[in-house]
Amino acid sequence: MVLPFIRSDLVKFIAYNPFQSGRIAQTTNLIQIDKLDTNESSEDFPPQLQEKLLCTYQESIKNNRYPDSSHEKLKSFIANYVNESAELDRQTFSSQSISISNGSDELIRSILIASCVNGEGSILVAEPTFSMYEILAKTLGIPIVTIPRNEDNFAIDLQAATSAIYNIKNPPIRTVFIVHPNSPTGNTLNNSEVDWLINLPENILVVIDEAYFEFSQTTLVSKLVQYPNWVVLRTFSKAFRLAAHRIGYCVANPKTISILEKVRLPYNIPSFSLAAALIAMENHKLLLGSVLQTLTERDKLIQELRLNIALKVWDSRANFIFIKTQALNLDVKTINLKLRESGTLVREIYQGLRITVGTPAENKRTLQRIKAILS
Ligand SMILES: *Cc1c(COP(=O)(O)O)cnc(C)c1O
């Protein structure tokens, strides 16, 4: 049915559907379902922190009142964490350098609104990469320019990137989205890519999405001091184990922040989520204590999978790995389908599979199930 009051371009889009785990869980209640398709932390928020959160809820959250829309306390906690984790001076970033959003997705949309709508700009993405930039840009009528990556190491084709920056007009590229380390491929930016970003003209906004920073332990946040056209995006959905609470943030020049604050919805973070994020910041050392195990498990998974010559397995600096099949008689779709049937949910994307590193037991099952499919 055509809805005559809807923008004609929107009608054609297919709604984003991140996973279908509900369906498989219902049909297969006898096997262990391992949800390894969205890169969340395999560990829940620890019981003692859940208890703290409940206490906060009972003692200081008023259900009838709007949440704190300034986010001031959380912003200053985040600023301290950003400074500390990048070994920067305590004064480098303050709450004025931070904006908080309902998941990083909200900030991606705010950035697009602030930089590109009304035909003012296109965005540049290097595929394969995180799909939300493209999805959100489309809904705002913003053109998307994609450039390829080198298949060996997924480094960005910088020649194509330069050509896009200088040759695309009407509208020109206004914002470049880069994930560091990239999803689904797991690689961090190399030196020539960073140099390329540094040399971009000042009228181009550089967004570095560091959703996996706590796993990669590498950040470009210190560049913000020198380059006011840069923004670093982060999230509480991955290493901080709070995907259910929808908290993202960005670090940027205070002038950029004040614009993003104009664009965001006033009460974008529910009080309960704000309280959870505060507890996560106060206890970040405890929460990040599990990162080391994830990294060890990831490297074990990579090593074991590489023993099978039917698979190509890339290195990863994040909490997931990316594999492709190099056997002629076996395609990725079939492996994914069989993995699903056996209970392991992974993400099929760009002719490969992105597999989240889970608990040791989950990873063991991942290996067993893949081996069984390949044998
Ligand atoms: C998971 C992820 C995010 C986090 O999104 P939220 O909306 O904060 O849950 C952001 N960027 C990338 C590249 C991701 O993989």
Side-chain angles (χ1 to χ4, degrees):
M1 187 184 62
V2 179
L3 302 173
F5 44 84
I6 296 297
R7 250 171 56 200
S8 56
D9 57 334
L10 272 186
V11 176
K12 292 177 291 203
F13 300 159
I14 298 160
Y16 180 60
N17 183 7
F19 45 89
Q20 292 93 28
S21 39
R23 214 175 48 201
I24 191 152
Q26 278 164 10
T27 54
T28 53
N29 47 15
L30 292 177
I31 50 166
Q32 180 75 43
I33 302 290
D34 297 332
K35 213 183 130 357
L36 303 175
D37 57 347
T38 47
N39 297 345
E40 300 133 310
S41 204
S42 56
E43 307 286 342
D44 198 351
F45 217 46
Q48 69 269 39
L49 298 191
Q50 292 197 31
E51 236 161 77
K52 267 194 190 160
L53 182 55
L54 277 180
C55 282
T56 308
Y57 174 60
Q58 284 166 341
E59 285 163 15
S60 46
I61 292 180
K62 298 222 179 312
N63 294 289
N64 59 325
R65 295 295 174 193
Y66 283 113
D68 166 26
S69 75
S70 77
H71 309 154
E72 197 51 41
K73 190 172 175 195
L74 181 57
K75 282 187 188 183
S76 62
F77 277 38
I78 289 174
N80 285 341
Y81 166 72
V82 170
N83 291 333
E84 188 187 302
S85 55
E87 292 172 2
L88 295 167
D89 190 277
R90 286 185 61 81
Q91 319 296 324
T92 312
F93 298 111
S94 70
S95 59
Q96 287 169 26
S97 321
I98 311 287
S99 180
I100 297 173
S101 61
N102 195 279
S104 342
D105 296 344
E106 187 197 2
L107 260 167
I108 294 166
R109 175 138 65 185
S110 297
I111 288 167
L112 291 168
I113 293 171
S115 61
C116 293
V117 293
N118 280 349
E120 292 217 7
S122 305
I123 66 163
L124 183 73
V125 293
E127 288 191 326
T129 196
F130 189 47
S131 56
M132 282 316 287
Y133 313 127
E134 186 166 341
I135 292 166
L136 292 172
K138 270 189 179 169
T139 66
L140 294 167
I142 294 167
I144 299 126
V145 177
T146 60
I147 48 164
R149 290 170 183 265
N150 164 345
E151 268 271 317
D152 293 334
N153 55 9
F154 292 112
I156 298 168
D157 180 341
L158 293 179
Q159 237 176 338
T162 304
S163 161
I165 295 285
Y166 294 100
N167 296 327
I168 304 268
K169 307 254 162 37
N170 301 321
I173 287 163
R174 185 61 66 229
T175 306
V176 178
F177 284 97
I178 304 279
V179 195
H180 174 63
N182 189 39
S183 172
T185 58
N187 56 311
T188 47
L189 286 167
N190 64 31
N191 291 340
S192 20
E193 290 169 317
V194 174
D195 285 345
W196 184 82
L197 291 168
I198 284 173
N199 287 311
L200 281 173
E202 282 174 3
N203 63 350
I204 290 180
L205 178 64
V206 175
V207 181
I208 309 287
D209 187 337
E210 296 188 349
Y212 301 97
F213 158 67
E214 283 78 13
F215 301 104
S216 72
Q217 286 301 318
T218 173
T219 175
L220 290 168
V221 83
S222 65
K223 298 275 185 257
L224 298 173
V225 179
Q226 252 172 303
Y227 304 103
N229 58 322
W230 285 40
V231 172
V232 168
L233 273 180
R234 299 266 185 88
T235 182
F236 282 66
S237 299
K238 307 285 157 67
F240 286 117
R241 318 183 200 178
L242 288 179
H245 289 268
R246 311 300 303 124
I247 315 264
Y249 66 94
C250 76
V251 194
N253 182 287
K255 284 188 184 148
T256 311
I257 294 293
S258 72
I259 301 292
L260 294 173
E261 289 286 286
K262 286 189 209 180
V263 172
R264 79 166 167 87
L265 299 175
Y267 301 112
N268 60 338
I269 315 287
S271 303
F272 196 63
S273 296
L274 269 177
L278 275 170
I279 290 172
M281 280 291 100
E282 283 170 326
N283 297 278
H284 65 265
K285 292 214 170 79
L286 168 71
L287 286 166
L288 299 181
S290 64
V291 164
L292 195 60
Q293 174 181 298
T294 305
L295 303 186
T296 313
E297 283 289 308
R298 175 195 68 201
D299 294 342
K300 255 174 37 192
L301 206 52
I302 290 175
Q303 265 182 6
E304 291 278 329
L305 288 173
R306 278 187 180 154
L307 294 177
N308 199 308
I309 52 161
L311 298 176
K312 182 160 167 119
V313 186
W314 278 267
D315 288 332
S316 168
R317 296 289 303 276
N319 67 333
F320 56 83
I321 61 167
F322 188 62
I323 68 173
K324 284 194 180 193
T325 158
Q326 45 194 12
L328 289 174
N329 57 349
L330 199 65
D331 62 277
V332 155
K333 264 200 164 38
T334 311
I335 301 181
N336 186 26
L337 203 74
K338 289 187 174 172
L339 265 177
R340 258 174 195 275
E341 281 166 8
S342 63
T344 295
L345 309 181
V346 302
R347 182 80 196 269
E348 185 184 326
I349 184 166
Y350 292 103
Q351 298 90 46
L353 297 177
R354 190 193 67 194
I355 308 174
T356 308
V357 179
T359 62
E362 286 173 325
N363 303 330
K364 211 170 138 194
R365 279 192 293 273
T366 300
L367 281 172
Q368 282 167 351
R369 287 166 178 177
I370 290 179
K371 273 183 200 156
I373 292 164
L374 294 180
S375 69

